[in-house]
Structure formats: C-alpha cells, structure tokens
C-alpha cells in the first residue's frame, strides 16, 4: 500500500537558518504529493503540492521537488522565521480518477528560535 | 466566509459509549472527509462523503459511521468507544474535482 516516511523531529533552528525536512514515499502509479502545515491550535493548511515528476511546488519561501527516481519530496526553505514554527506533514494521494484520499507521514515539529 | 467548522472542540467519553461529531464544510464545498489523528501521528483517512453517500473508506471498523446531509454538513459517529479511539478528529472539505482540502481545527476526543 501507500506510505509516507518523513524525518523524525523535533527540529530546532535559529532564525534565518536553512531548513530541510526529508520525505520519501511508497506508492503505486503516479501520486500527487503535498506538504501540509499545522500551526498550534489550528487545522492543517496546504503549503504546497506537486502533481507529476520533476514538478516543483513553492509557497511562502518553501519549496519541494517531486523526484520520482528517488521517490522523494523534501521540503526546503532558505531562511526560516519564528513564525514558521509548526508541525509539517508530507502527504500523497492515491493515483486514480476521483481518488483524493490522503496518506500522511507522522509529521515533523519545527521550532525556530530568535 | 467561514472555513470548515467542527463541533464540539473537546469531548470526554467513557469506554463503551457512543459519540457524534459534527462538521460544516466551507461554503461551496460538497465533499467532506474525516480523518483521525492520534497523538504524535499523522492524520489517517476514515471516509469521504459526497451526495450524501460514503464514497471511499479507509481501514477503520464498522464502529465508525457517518452521514452527510443535504446542506453538505456531516456527522461522524463512533460506537462502543475504546481507549484507542482517543484522538483529534479532523474534518476536511473540498469542491468535487479539486484536490485542495480545507481542514477544520478538529474535535479532541478523550476516552476514559
């Protein structure tokens, strides 16, 4: 079946540091890949997505590239801010018409200190 | 424009009881999904409703059931509660054909 593995947290960085959160997946076919973010006390929000190999999703300074050869979708940001402190989830959808069931990783908690 | 709203915010039940959680989707959204998020884990898909019917189901027992109303709102029912059902239950909505899900803040269920 489908699965997502992301790096264990928590991750603590100083403001303006470079961020990488690793994500690898196992899936049949050609899934779409997502990063969701969960701020304290709030619901999950879509951060970025990519729907086919070599696509790059980007939003709010975050980027991730769909690498089919390595089955990866690593999240990166060049300079993190305190406001980026949250839990980040990598996810995929099962490929197939009308299938929008998301499979999530366990999440990586990021804390950014001033 | 209100987003996805869920009620109640918190709930405490005892083993063996039954619980009903409620969700109002974002305006214009006709498809509702439910997810269970255990502490320290990612959300797990329970089921999805469209046109008042269950369309997809994850690996959850029949104790978990749902309903969608004509106004697209939805309920999640869990019977014969177990300690392991303690989790954050998330509702998500989207327009049909759109991959982007909008999540509510969830209902925190504690089973004692």
């Amino acid at each position: 079946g489908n699965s997502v593995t992301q790096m264990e947290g928590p991750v603590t960085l100083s403001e303006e540091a470079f961020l990488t959160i690793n994500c690898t997946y196992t899936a049949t076919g050609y899934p779409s890949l997502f990063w969701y973010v969960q701020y304290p006390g709030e619901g999950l929000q879509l951060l970025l997505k990519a729907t086919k190999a070599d696509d790059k999703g980007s939003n709010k300074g975050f980027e991730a590239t769909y690498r089919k050869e390595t089955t990866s979708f690593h999240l990166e940001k060049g300079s993190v801010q305190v406001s980026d402190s949250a839990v980040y989830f990598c996810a995929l959808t099962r490929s197939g018409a009308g299938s929008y069931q998301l499979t999530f990783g366990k999440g990586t908690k990021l804390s950014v200190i001033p | 424009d209100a987003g996805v709203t869920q009620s109640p915010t918190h709930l405490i039940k005892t083993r063996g009881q039954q619980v009903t959680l409620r969700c109002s989707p974002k305006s214009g959204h006709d498809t509702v999904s439910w997810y269970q998020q255990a502490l320290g884990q990612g959300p797990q898909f329970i089921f999805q409703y469209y046109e008042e019917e269950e369309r997809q189901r994850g690996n959850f027992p029949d104790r978990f059931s749902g309903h969608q109303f004509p106004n697209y709102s939805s309920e999640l029912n869990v019977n014969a509660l177990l300690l392991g059902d303690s989790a954050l239950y998330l509702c998500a909505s989207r327009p049909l054909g759109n991959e982007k899900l909008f999540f509510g803040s969830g209902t925190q269920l504690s089973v004692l």
Side-chain angles (χ1 to χ4, degrees):
Chain A
N2 296 339
S3 66
V4 174
T5 302
Q6 56 182 111
M7 64 186 286
E8 300 256 340
V11 174
T12 302
L13 295 174
S14 297
E15 206 165 21
E16 300 184 4
F18 184 85
L19 169 70
T20 299
I21 300 178
N22 291 337
C23 171
T24 57
Y25 67 90
T26 302
T28 55
Y30 302 94
S32 294
L33 302 176
F34 306 83
W35 277 100
Y36 277 82
V37 59
Q38 188 173 37
Y39 297 103
E42 298 184 16
L44 289 157
Q45 300 175 25
L46 178 64
L47 181 59
L48 53 83
K49 72 173 187 178
T51 58
K52 61 183 187 294
D54 299 325
D55 265 3
K56 176 185 284 188
S58 61
N59 186 27
K60 299 181 181 180
F62 290 89
E63 293 183 339
T65 302
Y66 189 143
R67 301 289 189 198
K68 190 164 178 62
E69 63 275 14
T70 55
T71 62
S72 65
F73 192 56
H74 304 321
L75 182 68
E76 297 182 337
K77 186 175 186 182
S79 176
V80 294
Q81 305 300 313
V82 172
S83 57
D84 294 327
S85 298
V87 182
Y88 292 82
F89 293 92
C90 185
L92 62 82
T93 55
R94 191 177 66 199
S95 60
S99 173
Y100 299 113
Q101 171 182 328
L102 283 170
T103 299
F104 285 89
K106 291 185 176 182
T108 302
K109 183 176 182 180
L110 170 66
S111 296
V112 180
I113 55 176
Chain B
D1 175 29
V4 179
T5 57
Q6 293 186 242
S7 63
T9 307
H10 296 83
L11 202 53
I12 299 175
K13 292 286 187 178
T14 56
R15 277 184 303 173
Q17 285 189 314
Q18 179 264 344
V19 69
T20 298
L21 311 181
R22 295 177 176 82
C23 172
S24 293
K26 186 175 170 64
S27 178
H29 290 191
D30 52 10
T31 302
V32 173
S33 302
W34 286 91
Y35 287 79
Q36 180 195 66
Q37 186 178 9
L39 189 63
Q41 302 294 315
Q44 286 197 314
F45 176 77
I46 303 174
F47 43 52
Q48 174 179 278
Y49 277 82
Y50 171 66
E51 289 188 332
E52 303 178 47
E53 289 189 16
E54 183 183 296
R55 301 291 179 169
Q56 294 179 354
R57 188 178 184 93
N59 189 25
F60 279 81
D62 291 345
R63 297 187 298 109
F64 290 77
S65 64
H67 189 76
Q68 185 178 34
F69 299 93
N71 67 353
Y72 309 125
S73 67
S74 177
E75 289 182 350
L76 164 65
N77 300 292
V78 187
N79 294 323
L81 284 167
L82 304 174
L83 296 179
D85 295 332
S86 296
L88 179 68
Y89 288 84
L90 298 168
C91 174
S93 71
R94 62 179 176 85
L96 186 67
N98 190 318
E99 279 186 325
K100 185 176 181 180
L101 284 177
F102 289 79
F103 283 84
S105 299
T107 294
Q108 184 67 53
L109 172 65
S110 298
V111 182
L112 306 179

